Amino acid sequence: MNRYEEYKDSGIFWNPKIPKVWNVYRLGNVIQKENRPRPIDGELLVCTNKGTVIPRGEAKIGLIADSEDIYQGVSKGDLLIHGMDTWHGAIATSSMDGYCTPVVHVCTSKCNNVSFVKYYMRHMAFQKVFKIISNGVRQNTSDFRSWEKVRTIPIPLPPLPEQQAIVTYLDDKVGKIDACIEARKKEIDLLNETKKAIIADAVTHGLNPDAEMKDSGIPWIDQIPAHWE
């Protein structure tokens, strides 16, 4: 992507220079916090540190509330901001309907692209900004459960068409990188399985594949070379 011709001071210490055509707003003026009722047949969703929203059944993470009355509805396309794990990048747009814990801020916007807001806030998390501007109740964390605190966060915004172009660019690049990471993880898993197999074969069968074998009497080993005891 090409750099802009002119920049200006933003007044934001973690993002001091922005393109001249961009403007700085408070987050509460960019997105709106929703408070929808929990859908009867919805699925419990988790906003993860990877910047995704997934059914809790896939993760088995997070706390379950004593009463389902406190949960709030989530619609496809909503921006979810986790009030306790903001610092860790738990900020995502949902690709499904469901419901989530009230510690998550469920947000929408009529005038801005919420995916641009997601990317910017995850950038803040990567730069450890949330840990700097908030003291959390846990070590190495931050507490943004209060919407009044979240809504005052400054965010620079380009015009809407540019927001959408940036989101399209990032979706493409990040999607390709994620696919590469997933492929490498599968390769690593296969290599680890190969390593385990090589170790197991060497310590239970030796290095000679033609050696005469005998029963070991050990159920998890089966046979061993005949000259072993």
Side-chain angles (χ1 to χ4, degrees):
M1 296 183 70
N2 297 327
R3 291 182 62 84
Y4 295 84
E5 293 183 359
E6 292 185 78
Y7 288 79
K8 64 182 179 182
D9 292 333
S10 68
I12 305 173
F13 73 84
W14 64 86
N15 190 176
K17 295 290 184 180
I18 60 174
K20 189 174 182 180
V21 296
W22 292 27
N23 291 303
V24 176
Y25 302 89
R26 295 295 177 182
L27 197 59
N29 295 324
V30 174
I31 56 177
Q32 298 82 45
K33 180 177 171 65
E34 303 290 344
N35 187 21
R36 301 191 188 92
R38 180 181 71 85
I40 297 176
D41 298 325
E43 190 165 17
L44 179 56
L45 305 177
V46 175
C47 183
T48 75
N49 297 337
K50 295 181 180 180
T52 58
V53 177
I54 61 175
R56 187 182 184 276
E58 294 181 8
K60 299 300 182 185
I61 58 175
L63 299 176
I64 295 295
D66 294 333
S67 171
E68 292 190 347
D69 294 339
I70 68 171
Y71 288 117
Q72 58 182 324
V74 174
S75 294
K76 182 178 180 179
D78 285 349
L79 171 66
L80 273 58
I81 304 170
H82 198 296
M84 290 301 296
D85 286 338
T86 319
W87 69 281
H88 209 196
I91 305 155
T93 49
S94 181
S95 61
M96 63 193 80
D97 297 334
Y99 62 96
C100 69
T101 169
V103 77
V104 174
H105 303 292
V106 178
C107 305
T108 59
S109 179
K110 295 180 180 178
C111 304
N112 294 284
N113 190 313
V114 292
S115 290
F116 181 90
V117 179
K118 171 197 69 176
Y119 279 121
Y120 186 82
M121 293 189 73
R122 281 180 58 78
H123 159 71
M124 291 175 62
F126 299 152
Q127 298 300 314
K128 297 180 171 54
V129 173
F130 293 115
K131 294 175 69 174
I132 295 173
I133 63 178
S134 173
N135 293 322
V137 296
R138 296 177 293 175
Q139 187 177 8
N140 293 326
T141 184
S142 58
D143 187 352
F144 282 92
R145 288 174 292 179
S146 167
W147 176 246
E148 290 305 310
K149 191 174 186 179
V150 175
R151 70 185 308 277
T152 62
I153 296 173
I155 177 173
L157 285 179
L160 182 58
E162 195 169 344
Q163 292 179 39
Q164 294 169 338
I166 290 172
V167 167
T168 299
Y169 170 84
L170 289 176
D171 283 347
D172 177 64
K173 294 296 183 182
V174 172
K176 290 177 179 177
I177 292 171
D178 285 343
C180 288
I181 291 172
E182 193 61 32
R184 294 297 180 269
K185 284 181 179 178
K186 291 179 179 178
E187 289 181 11
I188 291 170
D189 288 341
L190 289 172
L191 288 171
N192 279 327
E193 290 302 315
T194 301
K195 177 177 69 175
K196 292 175 184 178
I198 291 173
I199 292 172
D201 194 54
V203 299
T204 61
H205 296 88
L207 300 179
N208 182 7
D210 300 321
E212 184 182 350
M213 307 297 286
K214 68 178 180 181
D215 290 335
S216 68
I218 304 173
W220 62 87
I221 292 180
D222 193 19
Q223 291 195 323
I224 60 173
H227 64 283
W228 287 24
E229 297 292 338

